[in-house]
Amino acid sequence: MVNFPYRYLVGIDGGGTSCRARICDLDGNILGEAKTGSANILLGSDIAMASIQQAITLAAQQAQLTTADYPTMSVGLALAGAEQQQAWHTFMQQPHPYGAITLNTDAYGACLGAWGGKDGAILIAGTGSCGILLLNGNQHIVGGREFPISDQGSGAVMGLHLIQQVLLSVDGIVPKTELTHHVLTHFDHDIDAIVSWSKTARPCDYGRFSPAIFSFAERNDPLAISLLQQTAADIEMWMQALIFRGAHNICLMGGIGERIQAWLTPPMQHRLATPQGDAMDGAIAMARSNHNLFVR
């Protein structure tokens, strides 16, 4: 790598639920990895930076590196919320000890990783959701405008819909199911507790109900099945938007994306491609050069 002034590449994949860090040498050999809390910059630039620095510290310990090595690190940041320009600038104005940082969205990092740095499209469906197509040097983004106004097809929106249906069942408007009983038991059958929880609940808090939805769907719970059918329809909506913009095949990624594929219609299943790598691979690629979404 000619004239590259750093000794280490650091990739960060930060979303609403977790922040992953990977430290590599310039040949791409993995030296250390770690995982910490949320790094969605819309939930607070300082909170995201704290998660990132903690993850890098833990990964550096594995790699037997110290703070003295931080100035020799180039850090690629693939973070949720980076598409919001003001949030991007606020984050980038924070001090840091690293040699260089480049910031783009978690979807961008995932797309770079999925298609080996070449043109292609992905749809991330995890805590949140976002679709991106890289085509002829341009980014085409659909969705990703954050919960609750966007993120259809995500764990957060699926959890929100579940809570709404649970409350409707309490009022006798829709039938109770095993899934609604499961949620009510989680809150000790205290409706006021649900309301109080909702006032401070984050996207990841809603998303934590998604494994139960998949589990109860396997038991033919009608509410769980309905929620997964809606999630699949939302994901197909984003896929159609990417196809309209020029995508041929799409990598479906994220915890929801990986589990929802069987619920998609056959034509959309045929559009799916297997990712070559993940967001961590993309973040490491970002660390090798300037992939900033905006200009400082």
Side-chain angles (χ1 to χ4, degrees), residues 20-221:
R20 296 187 296 158
R22 176 182 296 167
I23 300 177
C24 298
D25 61 22
L26 298 188
D27 293 323
N29 299 307
I30 298 175
L31 305 178
E33 292 186 321
K35 182 178 179 180
T36 56
S38 171
N40 183 329
I41 65 176
L42 289 183
L43 299 180
S45 291
D46 54 342
I47 295 173
M49 182 63 83
S51 292
I52 290 163
Q53 293 185 335
Q54 182 185 14
I56 292 177
T57 297
L58 294 173
Q61 290 172 356
Q62 285 186 21
Q64 298 184 328
L65 302 174
T66 70
T67 55
D69 296 296
Y70 288 1
T72 68
M73 296 178 176
S74 176
V75 183
L77 299 165
L79 303 183
E83 68 279 355
Q84 212 284 332
Q85 188 166 352
Q86 183 57 53
W88 187 95
H89 284 287
T90 299
F91 181 90
M92 294 294 278
Q93 288 167 3
Q94 295 182 99
H96 64 83
Y98 313 109
I101 63 173
T102 181
L103 174 60
N104 212 305
T105 66
D106 53 343
Y108 181 85
C111 200
L112 279 182
W115 293 96
K118 298 178 181 179
D119 285 354
I122 67 163
L123 178 61
I124 300 176
T127 303
S129 66
C130 184
I132 181 170
L133 167 66
L134 302 181
L135 185 62
N136 300 325
N138 296 313
Q139 289 188 54
H140 304 273
I141 299 173
V142 297
R145 296 180 179 88
E146 299 297 323
F147 179 86
I149 62 170
S150 184
D151 283 359
Q152 292 93 334
S154 72
V157 168
M158 189 159 56
L160 172 61
H161 289 165
L162 169 60
I163 296 298
Q164 290 172 337
Q165 291 298 308
V166 167
L167 295 178
L168 289 174
S169 75
V170 170
D171 291 336
I173 296 171
V174 301
K176 284 189 171 73
T177 71
E178 289 186 28
L179 178 56
T180 60
H181 284 295
H182 170 80
V183 175
L184 288 169
T185 300
H186 176 83
F187 289 101
D188 294 324
H189 294 266
D190 186 343
I191 304 306
D192 286 344
I194 297 177
V195 175
S196 297
W197 169 86
S198 73
K199 301 306 180 185
T200 57
R202 299 168 298 169
C204 61
D205 297 321
Y206 284 98
R208 289 193 181 103
F209 289 102
S210 60
I213 296 172
F214 280 100
S215 177
F216 278 91
E218 293 175 356
R219 306 180 206 175
N220 292 318
D221 184 278

